[in-house]
Amino acid sequence: MSGAGNDFIVIDNMKLATSMQEEQIRALCTRRTGIGADGMIMIEPSERYDFTMKYYNADGRMGSMCGNGGRCAVYFAHTLGVAGSSTVFEANQRRYEADVTENSMVRLNMTDPEDFRDAFEVCGHTCYFVDTGSPHTLLVTEDVDSFDVDGVGRAIRNNTELFPEGTNVNIVQVTSPTTIKLRTFERGVEAETLACGTGAVASALLCRKLGLLDSCNIGVTVRSGDLLQVDFSQEFRDVYLAGPAKIIFRGEVDL
């Protein structure tokens, strides 16, 4: 599946018939020699809600919340009949609500942001931080297309003094009072991805908090060219992420 360019291997595991080791997940997510994906999602039963989403990074390790992955999980569960057009599910012991709208669009209620950090210097850049279910560092540029996302992103991500558990790194260009353009270096993928849902949320929230945007309804253009919509209250609560979630192909793989 693709969530605005974030691609995932999504598995129906409602019968709990599938169990994989870290190295198997990593092999399947490795491009050119595996299926290739930014991560793997298992749709599993939940005792309280419609389903449980288990998300694994491309390195095979259990990941934190993935916004675009969550939207893909919702659409996939909807196609399975596990969830209706409105659903409640859990991921990492947290409750999420979402709606499937027309044209494979999914709107997901995200967790409230935590741990806002004001300006600090890292690797020669002024950065900001917020946790939107995953840790995100932001820096603002006037030309995101020519920015060295891999070099700078990798250096900041691996600054263990500031980020003992690592961080995702978002490079943002403000394109209007209500829109931004985003590129993200993702922890766990260890590379730039074509989109990042929690990164889009973090970037919209921080840019609004910094006074760079004059709205709480933000359009975020990601590297794939797709548009994500981020909405939140004036108090930076009631955060929603909306955008496309599409099934690209179905298949079987021999483990």
Side-chain angles (χ1 to χ4, degrees):
M1 293 191 69
S2 170
N6 261 153
D7 59 340
F8 308 99
I9 301 166
V10 189
I11 296 174
D12 172 7
N13 200 29
M14 290 298 290
K15 296 181 179 179
L16 300 178
T18 300
S19 177
M20 278 190 249
Q21 300 299 315
E22 184 177 304
E23 59 269 21
Q24 291 176 305
I25 296 171
R26 184 168 59 248
L28 290 178
C29 289
T30 300
R31 302 188 189 279
R32 297 183 179 86
T33 57
I35 295 171
D38 291 333
M40 177 180 287
I41 296 168
M42 295 275 200
I43 304 297
E44 298 188 349
S46 167
E47 293 183 357
R48 295 176 293 175
Y49 308 118
D50 293 326
F51 67 91
T52 298
M53 165 187 161
K54 287 190 176 177
Y55 177 70
Y56 301 87
N57 288 316
D59 61 9
R61 298 176 182 176
M62 183 74 77
S64 51
M65 181 54 181
C66 177
N68 285 327
R71 294 189 311 96
C72 285
V74 167
Y75 189 77
F76 186 70
H78 177 62
T79 66
L80 292 177
V82 170
S85 56
S86 294
T87 183
V88 180
F89 69 99
E90 62 179 321
N92 295 327
Q93 288 79 52
R94 289 189 174 185
R95 179 184 185 275
Y96 293 88
E97 297 180 2
D99 295 294
V100 178
T101 60
E102 71 283 352
N103 301 321
S104 303
M105 300 290 285
V106 177
R107 187 170 186 257
L108 173 64
N109 186 199
M110 304 290 287
T111 57
D112 289 338
E114 299 176 344
D115 195 18
F116 279 106
R117 299 183 200 172
D118 292 330
F120 57 93
E121 294 293 317
V122 53
C123 300
H125 296 275
T126 300
C127 296
Y128 307 85
F129 181 92
V130 66
D131 191 311
T132 55
S134 291
H136 282 278
T137 298
L138 170 85
L139 63 90
V140 180
T141 181
E142 294 184 355
D143 185 6
V144 71
D145 291 327
S146 64
F147 197 91
D148 180 14
V149 173
D150 187 74
V152 175
R154 192 179 302 278
I156 295 175
R157 179 264 182 268
N158 289 302
N159 187 317
T160 54
E161 182 178 349
L162 286 174
F163 311 107
E165 297 181 1
T167 181
N168 300 284
V169 183
N170 302 280
I171 318 300
V172 175
Q173 178 182 345
V174 177
T175 51
S176 85
T178 60
T179 59
I180 60 176
K181 199 172 184 179
L182 170 67
R183 295 175 65 186
T184 302
F185 185 95
E186 277 204 55
R187 178 186 69 166
V189 180
E190 307 308 329
E192 181 180 5
T193 53
L194 294 182
C196 179
T198 53
V201 170
S203 300
L205 289 167
L206 283 167
C207 285
R208 172 62 176 162
K209 195 173 181 65
L210 291 169
L212 302 176
L213 300 168
D214 63 10
S215 173
C216 295
N217 305 299
I218 311 301
V220 183
T221 300
V222 293
R223 192 61 170 166
S224 66
D226 281 321
L227 181 69
L228 293 170
Q229 188 70 31
V230 179
D231 305 315
F232 49 90
S233 70
Q234 294 287 350
E235 296 76 28
F236 301 99
R237 296 290 185 264
D238 301 320
V239 182
Y240 287 86
L241 172 69
K246 300 178 181 179
I247 296 174
I248 304 303
F249 72 88
R250 299 175 187 267
E252 297 180 1
V253 63
D254 186 357
L255 297 178

